[in-house]
Amino acid sequence: MSAARRRSAACYTRPAMGETYLIRTFGCQMNKHDSERVAGLLRTAGMTPVDEAADADVVVFMTCCVRDRADERLRGQVASLKSVKAARKGHQTIAVGGCIGQRDGERLLRQLPHVDVVFGTHNVSHLPSLIDASRAGRGSVVEVLEASEEFTSDLPAEREHPWHAWVPITVGCDNFCTYCIVPYVRGRERSRPLEQIVSECERLAAEGVREVTLLGQNVNSYGRDLYGTPRFAEALAAVAQTGVERIRFATSHPKDLSGQTIEAMATIPQVARSLHLPVQSGSDRILTAMNRHYTKRSYLELVDRLYGAMPDLALSTDIIVGFPGETEADFLDTLEVLEHAHYDQAFTFIYSPREGTPAASLGDPVPREISQERFDRLVNVVQHSALAKNRALVDSVQQVLFTGVSKRDANVLAGRSEGNKVVHVPLEPGQHAEEFRGRFAPVMITEAQTWFLSGYILGEAAAGSHNADAH
Ligand code: SAH
Ligand code: SF4
Ligand code: F3S
């Protein structure tokens, strides 16, 4: 608590019943999870959500600082609220939380003085009382803690989808990849006791959740701090017994992905055969400079083992181009990884220096136009790889969890396959999307595009029968 900083008086009045809120979320799944908790807390305080900032008594930004662009977007959006707040004669409380809140604390107010509350990643549960304090006092309130004992999962949640839940199994990160800000804004890695995870998943399954995503910056090291050795494979097996029908997880660090985890993925039916395995670079020299603890060869051997155990595995990755000192030869090594790994999806980023990280003080920056050119080449290769993987699924049957309708056409159902691919199914006359939302059904794939598959629902499920629920 030593780092707690707070300004203003503390005469508390709860956010009033009937007030409205809007939450804007940036960044990763951990932030999405935390935003669901913020929504839960504000709902519990009697508030209701709205879609427009102009209608919101409270606006909460859950922020990300992993790359510069995320920083800029936040600043732009908060700045634009100044006039909205003025139009409401100041009757709007603006709160900034998440990773920028954690990193900047009080500093944020110098640029954005109309912000009322700044909070961090370790004190989400304090938000209602911080809002109270800012309203009761004369100035803005800042509270940023260095670490916390709480897991936000224990807070009430207002989940985005009733059939899906984010379940953090670890928080924080101890890996200190040299480019990455996350360990500084999320703190040291801590695991949740297995029995807590299991009882949460049992409760979620009983509430109708069909799919969970186990979250951690490096899920493979789950349990190391609690049990002395990682117990991620065991966690997968335990969650599979809770009644949850599909289990996803992210993120896996290649240095820690164990044989037991591969076996658990290959043998436990509830565990989706879908793996996000960030490679970041294919160059050994760059991987060392990034502090990643594997080589191009060991990474590709791991990929071979994975496909050996699960030929139908959907594999995705993250790649950074333009890390300081990256040469064309280094970049060609990265392209070689892509050629061998047959990724279904790759998230590609141009390196963005983050103040306070070791890489930020490295010399030899890659000129922007070279990074951009490598980025464009990379995207091209990724698209070809994704399309090839999707084409291989034509004429196969995929278990799809339907989530709603296509963004472009309300007469087309949209869902996700086990490999996390978007699957489209045109609705038959007389069918309604609501019958399918949150339910599994087998889909015969007839067509493949780069970023989605299309097909039709097989058998009785086509009529919206509840038999379609079996996974
Ligand atoms: N813990 C996860 C996710 C970390 S952030 C993991 O280890 O994969 C998500 C991705 O953002 C990273 O995988 C990396 O590819 C990218 N990233 C992180 N810091 C970055 C930076 N400074 N510049 C560009 N991309 C970055
Ligand atoms: Fe960042 Fe590396 Fe930790 Fe991922 S494993 S959060 S990239 S430091
Ligand atoms: Fe961004 Fe924080 Fe996640 S910096 S990627 S929101 S942990």
Side-chain angles (χ1 to χ4, degrees):
M1 282 265 188
S2 58
R5 301 190 294 271
R6 196 179 268 194
R7 292 206 270 137
S8 99
C11 164
Y12 286 27
T13 51
R14 298 261 111 204
M17 293 290 280
E19 284 199 275
T20 54
Y21 69 87
L22 173 71
I23 302 170
R24 292 216 172 127
T25 309
F26 302 79
C28 68
Q29 295 156 335
M30 204 59 95
N31 256 15
K32 288 188 185 158
H33 167 273
D34 286 354
S35 287
E36 291 184 348
R37 267 59 199 177
V38 168
L41 288 165
L42 298 181
R43 280 271 192 154
T44 306
M47 301 178 75
T48 49
V50 288
D51 294 329
E52 298 295 330
D55 301 327
D57 299 312
V58 173
V59 183
V60 184
F61 290 91
M62 295 297 278
T63 62
C64 172
C65 50
V66 79
R67 285 170 293 276
D68 192 40
R69 188 167 295 180
D71 264 60
E72 281 169 18
R73 273 184 67 204
L74 180 269
R75 266 159 242 284
Q77 290 212 12
V78 178
S80 73
L81 273 196
K82 202 170 173 182
S83 54
V84 175
K85 190 171 172 174
R88 292 175 55 100
K89 300 194 169 52
H91 293 300
Q92 183 169 67
T93 305
I94 302 174
V96 177
C99 296
I100 294 183
Q102 183 72 30
R103 185 195 59 186
D104 290 355
E106 192 124 12
R107 262 198 302 162
L108 197 84
L109 296 176
R110 275 182 236 145
Q111 270 182 316
L112 300 163
H114 59 296
V115 168
D116 302 287
V117 175
V118 181
F119 64 111
T121 55
H122 300 301
N123 57 345
V124 169
S125 65
H126 297 186
L127 179 62
S129 59
L130 294 170
I131 292 172
D132 293 346
S134 86
R135 289 175 171 185
R138 284 180 302 279
S140 309
V141 173
V142 178
E143 187 188 82
V144 176
L145 308 184
E146 255 169 24
S148 97
E149 293 304 311
E150 74 177 17
F151 274 94
T152 42
S153 305
D154 300 334
L155 301 172
E158 186 70 28
R159 286 195 312 274
E160 191 181 350
H161 302 296
W163 60 83
H164 175 266
W166 308 109
V167 177
I169 61 169
T170 69
V171 291
C173 182
D174 288 349
N175 287 308
F176 290 95
C177 302
T178 55
Y179 50 79
C180 185
I181 193 81
V182 172
Y184 305 91
V185 289
R186 290 279 170 175
R188 298 289 59 73
E189 184 177 291
R190 278 191 309 129
S191 302
R192 270 174 99 191
L194 189 51
E195 52 283 12
Q196 265 183 33
I197 297 168
V198 166
S199 61
E200 185 182 355
C201 289
E202 282 170 349
R203 182 176 53 75
L204 291 167
E207 285 172 12
V209 167
R210 325 286 312 258
E211 177 183 273
V212 295
T213 307
L214 306 180
L215 291 182
Q217 299 298 345
N218 177 10
V219 286
N220 303 120
S221 60
Y222 166 74
R224 186 153 40 204
D225 53 321
L226 290 181
Y227 308 111
T229 50
R231 287 175 62 174
F232 180 56
E234 225 174 287
L236 286 176
V239 173
Q241 299 299 313
T242 61
V244 165
E245 287 156 85
R246 187 187 268 168
I247 305 166
R248 300 189 185 282
F249 56 89
T251 299
S252 291
H253 196 306
K255 77 178 163 64
D256 294 317
L257 184 72
S258 68
Q260 289 100 307
T261 297
I262 298 176
E263 196 181 326
M265 289 184 73
T267 56
I268 301 173
Q270 293 88 342
V271 179
R273 291 178 170 204
S274 171
L275 183 68
H276 187 56
L277 193 67
V279 67
Q280 312 297 359
S281 169
S283 153
D284 290 348
R285 206 174 60 80
I286 297 292
L287 287 170
T288 302
M290 287 177 162
N291 193 30
R292 291 289 290 179
H293 297 282
Y294 53 84
T295 61
K296 173 169 119 189
R297 186 162 162 197
S298 68
Y299 182 90
L300 287 176
E301 280 169 4
L302 185 58
V303 167
D304 284 347
R305 275 174 67 200
L306 284 159
Y307 282 129
M310 294 168 281
D312 56 348
L313 177 74
L315 189 65
S316 60
T317 200
D318 290 346
I319 298 170
I320 298 175
V321 293
F323 186 82
E326 184 189 71
T327 62
E328 176 66 15
D330 294 320
F331 179 64
L332 290 177
D333 278 332
T334 302
L335 289 185
E336 221 173 284
V337 169
L338 264 98
E339 212 172 281
H340 286 87
H342 302 291
Y343 292 118
D344 294 80
Q345 165 87 288
F347 300 91
T348 48
F349 308 106
I350 291 179
Y351 170 70
S352 168
R354 302 284 73 201
E355 198 187 319
T357 61
S361 48
L362 290 175
D364 209 5
V366 176
R368 179 75 199 188
E369 54 288 3
I370 293 185
S371 295
Q372 187 64 52
E373 186 254 350
R374 287 180 191 157
F375 180 86
D376 295 343
R377 281 155 76 194
L378 199 56
V379 168
N380 204 1
V381 176
V382 170
Q383 285 179 352
H384 276 92
S385 170
L387 183 59
K389 285 292 280 280
N390 280 356
R391 281 193 175 143
L393 294 176
V394 171
D395 292 336
S396 74
V397 176
Q398 300 292 316
Q399 283 294 338
V400 175
L401 176 57
F402 286 102
T403 50
V405 291
S406 151
K407 280 184 200 139
R408 291 206 202 123
D409 187 345
N411 292 315
V412 174
L413 282 173
R416 292 268 176 177
S417 70
E418 184 174 340
N420 210 17
K421 318 249 177 187
V422 173
V423 179
H424 286 168
V425 175
L427 280 167
E428 305 277 333
Q431 284 182 339
H432 301 284
E434 282 313 314
E435 297 165 34
F436 295 93
R437 212 187 283 267
R439 299 197 26 220
F440 285 100
V443 173
M444 172 61 80
I445 303 301
T446 53
E447 206 191 315
Q449 306 287 342
T450 308
W451 301 128
F452 68 93
L453 303 166
S454 308
Y456 59 88
I457 297 175
L458 284 176
E460 279 185 72
S465 151
H466 284 267
N467 295 341
D469 283 6
H471 176 38

